[in-house]
């Protein structure tokens, strides 16, 4: 029920190959586990902030949240570089590279401000999402164009100028959040270490219950309890 696929049917279609009946059954089983995790297990241990909006993506919800709460010191942890466009509102921990990226480090690396990252994606497209950009133009060339360092005599310069319709189409596909994404209604997390232990035992996740790991998790839970307490006082 992707909102983006309504306006661009090819969106992420490379991720949806024809499945055999056996593969379809596996996917259905996997999604039943995802639903159980979201609806039962996470709330049971006290993690109440797991959100879903039909037709929208996790990136949209993340973007909406950080934009609405930019006064907080927030970090998005992800491997998806589409989220770099949000660096005006938060920092970004790239999980695939174990690298922290800030607005300043982004500008230093790419030579453009984070708000122009969407323009890069609109021009170059996004291979992982099957969003086609200007043919033959990659991110590096798009950045040179936006910086004004791509000569007008360069053949790709004119291709980008002539690709206005593609760039306009890609706007809704790459800009975060997608239009009409609803605000995230945050509620306090109230973690319960006893429930966490029970869940780990039930699901066979015994590695979380070694002495060192258990103490580490307790420490994290206590930090989150303090955060929840501060959040409640703020609401009052």
């Amino acid at each position: 029920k992707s909102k983006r696929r309504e306006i661009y049917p090819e969106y992420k279609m490379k991720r949806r190959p024809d499945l055999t009946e056996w593969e379809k059954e596996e996917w259905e089983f996997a999604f039943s586990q995802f639903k159980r995790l979201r609806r039962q297990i996470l709330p049971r241990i006290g993690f109440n902030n797991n959100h879903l909006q039909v037709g929208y993506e996790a990136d949209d919800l993340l973007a909406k949240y950080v934009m609405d709460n930019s006064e907080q010191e927030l970090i998005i942890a992800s491997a998806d570089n589409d989220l770099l466009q949000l660096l005006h509102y938060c920092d970004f921990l790239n999980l695939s590279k174990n690298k922290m990226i800030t607005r300043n480090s982004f500008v230093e690396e790419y030579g453009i401000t984070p708000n122009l990252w969407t323009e890069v994606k609109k021009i170059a497209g996004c291979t992982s999402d099957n969003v086609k950009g200007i043919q033959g133009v990659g991110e590096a060339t798009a950045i040179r164009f936006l910086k004004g360092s791509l000569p007008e005599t360069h053949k790709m310069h004119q291709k980008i100028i002539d690709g206005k319709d593609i760039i306009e189409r890609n706007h809704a596909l790459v800009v975060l959040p997608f239009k009409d994404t609803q605000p995230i209604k945050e509620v306090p997390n109230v973690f319960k270490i006893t429930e966490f232990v029970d869940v780990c035992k039930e699901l066979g996740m015994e590695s979380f219950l070694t002495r060192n790991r258990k103490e580490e998790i307790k420490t994290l839970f206590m930090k989150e309890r303090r955060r929840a307490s501060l959040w409640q006082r703020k609401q009052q």
Side-chain angles (χ1 to χ4, degrees):
K1 298 180 181 179
S2 167
K3 297 284 186 181
R4 288 176 174 83
R5 196 169 294 127
E6 291 177 4
I7 60 175
Y8 186 64
E10 294 86 2
Y11 183 75
K12 289 189 176 178
M13 287 305 290
K14 283 186 177 180
R15 300 185 183 183
R16 299 169 63 89
D18 292 334
L19 301 177
T20 65
E21 288 302 316
W22 180 77
E23 288 172 327
K24 288 178 182 178
E25 289 180 7
E26 278 213 320
W27 273 109
E28 289 175 4
F29 181 66
F31 274 95
S32 71
Q33 291 186 325
F34 300 155
K35 286 180 181 178
R36 183 185 173 202
L37 179 65
R38 178 171 58 86
R39 295 175 179 176
Q40 299 174 20
I41 295 173
L42 290 175
R44 179 178 167 187
I45 66 175
F47 190 88
N48 300 314
N49 283 296
N50 53 99
H51 302 279
L52 173 71
Q53 293 182 29
V54 176
Y56 299 88
E57 301 183 12
D59 289 1
D60 297 315
L61 276 62
L62 287 166
K64 183 64 175 173
Y65 183 83
V66 298
M67 287 179 175
D68 289 348
N69 296 275
S70 58
E71 75 283 356
Q72 298 185 41
E73 294 183 9
L74 300 172
I75 299 172
I76 288 180
S78 174
D80 188 346
N81 72 2
D82 291 346
L83 295 162
L84 292 173
Q85 61 186 273
L86 302 174
L87 284 171
H88 280 295
Y89 306 94
C90 64
D91 292 335
F92 179 76
L93 175 61
N94 187 318
L95 294 177
S96 63
K97 298 179 180 179
N98 194 27
K99 176 183 178 182
M100 184 68 77
I101 303 173
T102 66
R103 182 184 185 280
N104 290 339
S105 67
F106 176 90
V107 172
E108 185 176 339
E109 180 174 354
Y110 292 100
I112 58 173
T113 53
N115 61 302
L116 287 178
W117 190 245
T118 55
E119 300 301 319
V120 173
K121 291 289 185 175
K122 284 156 64 174
I123 294 170
C126 183
T127 303
S128 62
D129 290 341
N130 199 35
V131 175
K132 294 180 176 60
I134 308 298
Q135 187 175 8
V137 178
E139 289 180 358
T141 302
I143 290 171
R144 288 180 63 196
F145 175 82
L146 293 169
K147 289 168 62 176
S149 61
L150 187 67
E152 292 186 8
T153 54
H154 196 291
K155 62 179 181 179
M156 291 305 173
H157 188 283
Q158 191 58 46
K159 286 191 74 171
I160 294 172
I161 298 297
D162 294 340
K164 180 181 177 182
D165 290 344
I166 293 174
I167 294 170
E168 288 181 356
R169 179 204 65 195
N170 287 348
H171 180 87
L173 301 176
V174 303
V175 173
L176 298 173
F178 193 82
K179 62 180 181 179
D180 299 329
T181 302
Q182 297 301 302
I184 305 301
K185 296 180 180 179
E186 185 182 12
V187 294
N189 296 317
V190 185
F191 283 111
K192 306 162 188 172
I193 191 66
T194 54
E195 290 286 358
F196 179 84
V197 170
D198 289 344
V199 166
C200 287
K201 288 178 178 178
E202 290 173 17
L203 300 181
M205 299 191 299
E206 301 292 335
S207 62
F208 283 105
L209 302 180
T210 61
R211 183 172 180 178
N212 289 342
R213 291 296 298 277
K214 193 174 177 181
E215 289 303 315
E216 179 184 356
I217 290 163
K218 276 185 179 179
T219 301
L220 292 172
F221 280 9
M222 290 305 297
K223 286 181 179 179
E224 188 57 33
R225 282 181 181 174
R226 287 195 292 271
R227 182 178 180 276
S229 178
L230 289 171
W231 183 90
Q232 287 175 319
R233 288 202 291 270
K234 182 180 178 181
Q235 300 308 304
Q236 293 170 356

